Amino acid sequence: MADISNEWVRKRASPLIQFAFAVLLGWFGMGMCKLLHKPPGAEFFAAFLAIILFCFINILVSFAYDSFL
C-alpha cells in the first residue's frame, strides 16, 4: 500500500503563498464590491473574509507537519 505523505502541502502551501492568496482574494472581493456599487461596509467584509480564510488555511496546513503532534 502506498504511503500517504503530506510533503506536497509543505512545499506548495508555504505561509507566504497563503498570505499572497488571501491578499489577492481580499483585493478581488473589495474590487467586486466597488464594481457592483455595494455599500462601503461590504468592502471591509470581503477583506475580513479573506483574513479568516488565511487563518483556516494556515490551521489546515499546520496539520500536515510532524511538529503539530
Side-chain angles (χ1 to χ4, degrees), residues 46-68:
F48 175 72
L49 288 178
I51 292 169
I52 295 297
L53 178 68
F54 171 73
C55 293
F56 281 126
I57 290 173
N58 201 358
I59 291 168
L60 292 175
V61 169
S62 71
F63 287 141
Y65 286 91
D66 295 332
S67 63
F68 178 77

Side-chain angles (χ1 to χ4, degrees), residues 4-68:
I4 298 174
S5 174
N6 295 325
E7 190 67 31
W8 65 274
V9 174
R10 288 184 217 141
K11 288 183 179 179
R12 291 187 183 167
S14 70
L16 186 59
I17 292 173
Q18 295 173 42
F19 174 73
F21 178 72
V23 167
L24 290 176
L25 187 65
W27 280 340
F28 177 75
M30 291 174 74
M32 291 303 294
C33 288
K34 277 275 200 198
L35 280 173
L36 298 174
H37 302 291
K38 297 289 182 186
E43 292 176 37
F44 294 110
F45 185 68
F48 175 72
L49 288 178
I51 292 169
I52 295 297
L53 178 68
F54 171 73
C55 293
F56 281 126
I57 290 173
N58 201 358
I59 291 168
L60 292 175
V61 169
S62 71
F63 287 141
Y65 286 91
D66 295 332
S67 63
F68 178 77

